[in-house]
Amino acid sequence: QSSGGNNNQQQQQHKPLPPLLSTPLRHAWVECTALCLSLGSNLPGNLRTDAHSLITKMMEISNWNPRSKMASGGVRLSALMVLGKICVLDDQDDGFDLAKRVSPYAYEILTCCHKGLLSGGAGEPGHRVECVSTAWKLAVACRRSHDANRLMHGGNNNADGGNDQSLSFLATGAMEDRAVMEAIKFIKRATADK
């Protein structure tokens, strides 16, 4: 009976860890989810992965109340990491770039990151760091998408005094105005965060 009681004590001391709290498992899950979206977006017809529903679901999950039972176990952080990963995942072999799929959601993702900065308490510095990381990855995605669209439509005339904007720091029109305003609010909040 003493060995049975000892086993019971060990089980109480070592509660099972939710899988997304494990950093290696979380990173593997994020990679797999982003790759599924990338590869699934090239499939024909009904087999195609719906990028819109995945992006909106990840934004919804990352906005869950941090104290709720559904958001426990690293779920919010994992959803933010997926959003950041699909912003910078680029499959050059297939010519498919997820930046073009993510950039129309710039305002919504920035709002999500801003809310994450506000809701991440003192005990969640990792969540706040991931909010900043996702926001800068989104800025990169918007820039890449804008450059790709400009090149596709012949916007790079640099023969004699043309306007080669790829050398410019600013990419005019890469984000819509409301996304730029949200980015400014986000930057102000992020710099005030200690």
Side-chain angles (χ1 to χ4, degrees):
Q1 203 177 42
S2 65
S3 78
N6 194 14
N7 265 348
N8 200 9
Q9 277 182 332
Q10 285 179 347
Q11 286 178 351
Q12 286 178 352
Q13 288 175 349
H14 302 290
K15 292 182 180 178
L17 188 66
L20 292 178
L21 278 180
S22 166
T23 302
L25 286 178
R26 183 173 53 244
H27 284 289
W29 183 80
V30 167
E31 287 284 330
C32 289
T33 306
L35 284 173
C36 283
L37 177 61
S38 175
L39 297 174
S41 294
N42 291 330
L43 294 175
N46 290 340
L47 299 174
R48 180 173 296 158
T49 303
D50 186 8
H52 169 72
S53 64
L54 181 80
I55 291 169
T56 54
K57 189 64 175 174
M58 291 298 120
M59 288 188 294
E60 177 190 330
I61 291 170
S62 69
N63 281 329
W64 281 348
N65 186 337
R67 291 187 178 91
S68 73
K69 194 170 193 169
M70 290 190 319
S72 65
V75 174
R76 291 174 64 222
L77 181 61
S78 300
L80 261 178
M81 290 173 76
V82 167
L83 287 172
K85 183 66 178 176
I86 62 178
C87 285
V88 294
L89 188 65
D90 184 12
D91 190 2
Q92 291 292 341
D93 299 332
D94 294 335
F96 185 77
D97 189 359
L98 285 175
K100 295 173 190 170
R101 299 283 179 122
V102 176
S103 59
Y105 298 96
Y107 174 74
E108 290 82 4
I109 294 174
L110 281 169
T111 303
C112 179
C113 292
H114 194 184
K115 287 179 183 176
L117 275 182
L118 298 173
S119 72
E124 284 191 279
H127 188 76
R128 295 194 312 270
V129 167
E130 195 57 44
C131 288
V132 173
S133 176
T134 300
W136 76 257
K137 288 175 184 176
L138 177 67
V140 169
C142 288
R143 173 68 183 241
R144 280 194 2 225
S145 176
H146 177 71
D147 288 347
N149 285 339
R150 199 179 68 244
L151 288 173
M152 186 185 338
H153 292 69
N156 246 6
N157 330 356
N158 196 11
D160 289 316
N163 64 6
D164 186 7
Q165 291 182 351
S166 63
L167 301 176
S168 172
F169 177 72
L170 296 175
T172 308
M175 281 187 183
E176 56 187 353
D177 291 343
R178 67 184 184 148
V180 172
M181 295 307 291
E182 186 63 30
I184 291 169
K185 291 178 196 173
F186 176 81
I187 290 169
K188 284 181 181 179
R189 176 66 184 137
T191 55
D193 195 0
K194 296 182 182 171

